[in-house]
Amino acid sequence: MKNDFKPFESIGLCFSGGGYRATFFGLGVISYLNKIKYKENSLLNNVEAISTVSGGTLLGMAYAKATQEPNYNFEDFYTKFYNLFTPENDKLLATAINKLEDDNVWKQHPHKKRSLINAFALTYADMDIFKGSFELFENTQSDHLKHVCFNATDFSFGLPFRFQNTGNFGNKPLHNSQIKKMQYKTQLGDIVASSSCFPLGFEPIVYPDDYYKDQKSTDYKSLKSLERFIDGIGIMDGGITDNQGIGSMINISKQSSRKRELDLIIVNDVGSFKMDPWQSDTSSIDKSTSLKDNIAKILSFISLKPLYWLLLVVGILMILLNSFKIISNTAWTSLYILGSILTGIGLTLTSFGILGGIAKSIGINWFKNLFKKNVPAVLVDDITSFNNLNINLIQRMLKDRATSTVTMVNDIFLKQIRRLNYDLLYATPSLKHKKITATVYELNGEKTAYTNTFSYKKDIKPAPSKVLKSIGLIASETLTTLWWDKTDISKNRMDSLISCGQFTTCYKLLDYILDLKKDPEIQENIDTVAIDDLYKLLLKDWKEFNKNPLFLVEALKVGKSK
């Protein structure tokens, strides 16, 4: 243990992805850190770095921007942010949809592709809490927050793409002198959108095409001329590669520009070990025709049929015979009309039949050639055998493949990456005694996949109360969305998430201090008196949280949090 380790004096905060669940759990974390004092100073004022992902970026960007303002006051920021997103005021989704549908919006922003994610980017850019460019962080004005990193993922190399003010902007393959010239011109709204556009719900946003309005500038043209940027770089959700922002925070802590590493990294994680188990389609297979028969039936309609030219001939004959006045020596108008209709129908169907037959022949030959070029000879018999399969069986097979692939991408891969990043955090020797993981589900009273009963630190008294666990459960069951639904409103999930972030942070700081006290080597090099004083303040709040988990949320609403 190095002698320069000074607990709580240099803090880094990681905010995970997870929609509004992450946003407001994170708001609870920073509001409690602002309340609690260490050596007469708010712990929030000791936060030097933040690393955020997706829903955590909504909170992280707004907070980081607020700290750069000369008249920054946390309570004012909290009130503004809170009021903006209450269910009655939250217009994020509705505004983005309206922008997507409005032709004028895209005429005013011709550099942006018309897409849902760009509609969200423009919506964020119009919000006061996200207005402006990344230039705000070039020379930070905050007296404490010096490092910001908002995480996304690039779709050219599959690496984290970091919108950060220290360290490389982007990542190693994409960082260069040209992107350095453009980085501080990046709009904050585009950064928030880049970090939060999760797969399936959104499409990637393209860098630099969708980011910079002035595409005639020398710097933009120079960047765009580079081979790796000519076709644009797809940028998407940071959670794909690191949903907790852990890797970025470790990089910040180890930056050569820093005099020493961070003393404490707090990972605030609303990800869950839970997932809905994949289930196979168990619907019965009814009798039906094979795939080959169905294709043949469809193709049979695309041909010249005798009925088509028969209608054409009948129509023409009707017109000709009627012109010879063979019926009562009169040319009947009704027969001209009927003949013309039959002729028109016959001519149309005959034309389509001829053209369709030609197109079908060309299409079949093209598909056969494509099949021969791309399917190995040894697999031809296996693939063509599907022609004789029941069409309902094929439908079920395709459904199972699609649903299992979605589960793999949205759950299994993300959970495995989450485990790998935590392995990195806990396996780094220099981070011993310098890390806390606070999860949204930690105090919800439920057992986990790894424990048979609800587990908590028995040395921290009182034990989590029934009402506290209830609030924790409500918070942890919030879905990953960027809007409030009727269930969220009825269960007061916004306040529950904030409260959960507050009392979980209090609990984890107590737990952390107890672990510090167990190491005699640490006791020789740290300010034990100050830490004991902090523990007493935390314990006092913990007792209050167990009586009324919402006490601090309620105090912040009336401006009495201190």
Side-chain angles (χ1 to χ4, degrees), residues 279-351:
Q279 293 182 335
S280 174
D281 183 2
T282 57
S283 58
S284 59
I285 303 299
D286 299 325
K287 289 184 178 180
S288 67
T289 54
S290 67
L291 177 63
K292 182 178 180 180
D293 292 337
N294 277 271
I295 293 174
K297 186 180 293 185
I298 294 171
L299 292 177
S300 69
F301 290 102
I302 308 174
S303 62
L304 179 61
K305 297 183 179 297
L307 177 62
Y308 300 165
W309 58 260
L310 182 61
L311 288 172
L312 177 61
V313 170
V314 170
I316 293 172
L317 286 175
M318 188 175 291
I319 293 172
L320 290 174
L321 293 175
N322 189 49
S323 65
F324 292 141
K325 301 180 180 180
I326 61 175
I327 301 177
S328 300
N329 201 33
T330 301
W332 298 90
T333 303
S334 58
L335 290 177
Y336 276 129
I337 294 172
L338 180 59
S340 297
I341 292 173
L342 291 175
T343 300
I345 294 174
L347 182 61
T348 300
L349 292 175
T350 300
S351 299

Side-chain angles (χ1 to χ4, degrees), residues 68 134-142 145-146 165 184:
Q68 305 304 308
F134 200 57
E135 185 180 11
L136 193 67
F137 303 108
E138 184 174 7
N139 298 298
T140 57
Q141 300 303 307
S142 170
L145 187 58
K146 303 300 181 183
N165 66 338
Y184 290 114

Side-chain angles (χ1 to χ4, degrees), residues 82-91 484-485 488-489 494:
Y82 180 93
N83 290 338
L84 185 63
F85 287 98
T86 55
E88 60 269 21
N89 294 333
D90 181 26
K91 306 295 181 185
W484 303 116
D485 62 23
D488 296 330
I489 297 170
M494 182 175 175

Side-chain angles (χ1 to χ4, degrees), residues 151-162:
N151 296 276
T153 303
D154 86 69
F155 272 50
S156 290
F157 297 93
L159 296 172
F161 190 98
R162 298 180 172 109

Side-chain angles (χ1 to χ4, degrees), residues 30 59 85 112 203 207 239 268 425 427 430 477 504 544:
I30 62 173
L59 181 276
F85 287 98
K112 280 189 172 291
E203 57 280 284
Y207 188 89
N268 301 287
L425 178 68
S430 64
E477 290 179 340
T504 301
E544 190 63 31

Side-chain angles (χ1 to χ4, degrees), residues 406-446:
V406 169
T407 299
M408 177 178 66
V409 172
N410 274 9
D411 280 309
I412 296 174
F413 280 179
L414 291 183
K415 284 175 171 52
Q416 183 62 18
I417 291 169
R418 179 174 184 255
R419 295 184 187 103
L420 292 173
N421 281 299
Y422 274 121
D423 286 345
L424 171 66
L425 178 68
Y426 282 87
T428 303
S430 64
L431 293 178
K432 184 181 179 182
H433 300 301
K434 293 184 177 182
K435 54 190 175 293
I436 292 175
T437 300
T439 62
V440 70
Y441 57 81
E442 191 151 355
L443 297 172
N444 67 4
E446 300 284 292

